[in-house]
Amino acid sequence: MLGEIRGEVRFKEPLSFHTSLRIGGPADIFVVPQDLDDIRHALLFADREQLPVVTIGGGNNLLVLDRGMRGVVLKLEGCLGRTEFHGEEAVAGAGATLSSLIREAAALNLGGIEALVGIPATVGGALAMNAGTESGSIGDFVGAVYFLYADGSFGEFKPGAGSFTYTAFEAPEGSVLVGCRLQLHRRPYAEIQKDIKQRLKQKKSSQPLALASAGCVWKNPSGETAARMIEKVGLKGKRFNGAEISAKHANFIVNRGGATAADVQALMELTRERVQAHYGIVLENEIRIIGE
């Protein structure tokens, strides 16, 4: 079945090449599908061989552990990368980037999703994590989610109240998100562009965008921000080998060169212990951790 895949199939592929943190051990079988049929072939192969399947997009908000991933890793970035517009709706493939979606919509005087500006994610990754900002999350705009089941059949899910939670969307087990339908609204191009520029300027000034990171590591507890808590317990700028709690934004851990997943985990454990001791609050991961 792998021989029927027209995209790329690699063995023992270092996942550090495919994550924004530039960290991660090898994937046993790494598939970059070309289309839905390739995804079906990969899912059927994994099902027959009883192998786990993990899907990644751009590798953002993701920590892959140092021993890597067993089974099959599907990388959807670049595959299913088109977005079609129908009136005030957009049907976006999972491999499309949020930045291209927002840019293409703006060119058609369609806005409403500016809350997602500056999030370095594919649509599929954004859906899985319910990516967003203080202004809103992708789940606020989703009318339908499309996925493939493990047997290769196509499914559609129309979210209701509670389908998208803070940083999570629970897709059917064993399925692969392949796209979604988003509700937009008419807005003058000049207004959209002004909004985009302001949001990007704010991100650039407050986040360590020049260094390899996986975005925000922790969810914000109710009524507080993780960054402020980490700073108050004295961990801003704390380093462990090549990993550092960013001196610019304490809810980021950056790779200053040569960091391992174990280094990042050591900083995370220290942060969790220090914040719990000081505030009595147990921080929850926003970053997704996979592998062994």
Side-chain angles (χ1 to χ4, degrees):
M1 290 179 187
L2 289 180
E4 298 177 70
I5 292 175
R6 292 181 294 169
E8 298 177 50
V9 180
R10 305 175 198 164
F11 300 94
K12 298 299 179 185
E13 174 75 2
L15 291 174
S16 56
F17 295 166
H18 305 283
T19 64
S20 60
L21 252 176
R22 302 290 176 254
I23 288 172
D28 286 351
I29 303 170
F30 184 79
V31 178
V32 184
Q34 187 173 298
D35 51 28
L36 286 176
D37 282 341
D38 278 359
I39 299 174
R40 286 191 176 96
H41 290 314
L43 289 175
L44 291 169
F45 169 80
D47 187 54
R48 187 187 70 185
E49 301 296 323
Q50 295 188 304
L51 296 173
V53 177
V54 171
T55 305
I56 65 173
N60 303 287
N61 211 223
L62 179 67
L63 175 65
V64 179
L65 300 184
D66 295 317
R67 290 177 59 194
M69 289 294 306
R70 310 290 68 83
V72 178
V73 174
L74 281 170
K75 181 181 172 75
L76 294 193
E77 186 181 43
C79 172
L80 309 177
R82 290 185 59 195
T83 300
E84 296 179 357
F85 296 91
H86 307 280
E88 294 189 1
E89 285 189 333
V91 178
T97 63
L98 289 183
S99 58
S100 66
L101 167 65
I102 293 165
R103 186 175 61 250
E104 290 173 29
L108 296 171
N109 294 308
L110 291 171
I113 53 173
E114 288 73 40
L116 308 180
V117 164
I119 298 174
T122 58
V123 168
L127 286 169
M129 301 295 290
N130 192 25
T133 63
E134 292 178 356
S135 305
S137 301
I138 192 170
D140 300 335
F141 316 109
V142 172
V145 178
Y146 307 112
F147 50 84
L148 289 179
Y149 288 109
D151 64 3
S153 60
F154 191 76
E156 177 182 357
F157 175 73
K158 294 187 176 179
S163 297
F164 285 90
T165 59
Y166 179 28
T167 73
F169 168 66
E170 297 300 329
E173 188 173 351
S175 67
V176 173
L177 292 167
V178 295
C180 69
R181 188 173 73 245
L182 297 159
Q183 184 62 50
L184 312 177
H185 63 250
R186 296 286 171 193
R187 193 178 181 203
Y189 179 76
E191 281 186 19
I192 298 172
Q193 286 299 104
K194 183 179 179 182
D195 198 351
I196 288 172
K197 286 179 181 177
Q198 287 176 339
R199 290 174 184 273
L200 289 177
K201 182 179 179 181
Q202 193 278 329
K203 274 187 174 289
K204 190 174 181 179
S205 67
S206 63
Q207 297 180 5
L209 302 182
L211 295 169
S213 82
C216 287
V217 175
W218 307 102
K219 297 179 183 179
N220 288 322
S222 178
E224 186 55 280
T225 70
R228 192 154 45 233
M229 296 168 79
I230 296 164
E231 187 171 353
K232 284 196 173 177
V233 298
L235 290 179
K236 196 173 187 180
K238 176 71 175 176
R239 290 186 68 166
F240 192 91
N241 296 326
E244 177 189 88
I245 296 173
S246 171
K248 192 169 188 179
H249 192 307
N251 200 9
F252 282 64
I253 292 178
V254 297
N255 181 357
R256 286 200 162 272
T260 65
D263 296 337
V264 174
Q265 286 184 298
L267 283 178
M268 290 179 68
E269 190 58 35
L270 175 63
T271 300
R272 190 183 278 113
E273 289 174 358
R274 193 80 66 87
V275 168
Q276 184 176 9
H278 190 272
Y279 288 95
I281 293 172
V282 179
L283 290 176
E284 293 182 57
N285 296 1
E286 180 166 328
I287 193 173
R288 179 185 174 205
I289 301 175
I290 62 173
E292 59 182 43

